[in-house]
Amino acid sequence: MSIFDALMGNSSKVDLVKLAEEFSPLLVAGEELKGAYRLVRDMFVFTNKRCILVDRQGVTGRKTEYLSIPYQDIARYSVESAGSFDMDAELKIWLRGEAQPIVKSFPKGSEYLSVHRMLSEGVLK
């Protein structure tokens, strides 16, 4: 990701080799990284078993939440593209048993469709 993309909040693909060390303690036997996308400090990480939403918190980003979503727990999901007046695209994920979706915003020009495709590959297999 270029510095310009980071400042603008654009999402970009993350190198899985660099990510493997951070995520190896979180993965179970037989689980492997399939793809990852960074959105400023947050990340979407896709494995063959689940989607992990990484939320860096605080000023330094040292506190981190890893929200694991098994693909079978996703009831439905949608993507809404950015428009002329609405500059952000949105990805919504509804989990079984939850009324409200998880909503993530992507600035115009980011790789939100790639994130949607990775999510589809996990859910629709």
Side-chain angles (χ1 to χ4, degrees):
M1 175 192 304
S2 72
I3 292 174
F4 180 73
D5 284 339
L7 292 173
M8 296 304 294
N10 293 342
S11 62
S12 64
K13 196 165 188 158
V14 178
D15 182 4
L16 294 181
V17 174
K18 293 179 182 177
L19 207 59
E21 185 177 324
E22 177 184 353
F23 279 85
S24 62
L26 299 173
L27 303 180
V28 299
E31 187 174 19
E32 51 192 68
L33 295 173
K34 294 292 187 182
Y37 294 88
R38 183 176 312 278
L39 183 60
V40 187
R41 296 190 317 172
D42 297 343
M43 244 186 318
F44 288 86
V45 178
F46 298 95
T47 74
N48 58 325
K49 298 181 182 284
R50 61 185 159 157
C51 173
I52 304 170
L53 301 181
V54 181
D55 181 13
R56 305 272 186 211
Q57 302 171 3
V59 175
T60 63
R62 296 183 110 194
K63 183 177 180 180
T64 304
E65 176 186 16
Y66 298 92
L67 176 63
S68 293
I69 305 171
Y71 293 124
Q72 67 266 16
D73 288 347
I74 297 174
R76 64 187 186 276
Y77 53 99
S78 71
V79 66
E80 180 181 299
S81 63
S84 298
F85 298 107
D86 182 10
M87 298 304 286
D88 292 337
E90 283 188 345
L91 175 68
K92 296 179 184 177
I93 304 170
W94 285 266
L95 303 178
R96 296 189 200 294
E98 298 290 329
Q100 297 298 315
I102 296 169
V103 179
K104 295 292 182 178
S105 295
F106 294 82
K108 195 172 192 173
S110 63
E111 293 194 43
Y112 67 93
L113 290 176
S114 297
V115 173
H116 185 266
R117 183 174 43 260
M118 290 292 297
L119 185 59
S120 295
E121 288 174 6
V123 173
L124 302 176
K125 60 180 172 173

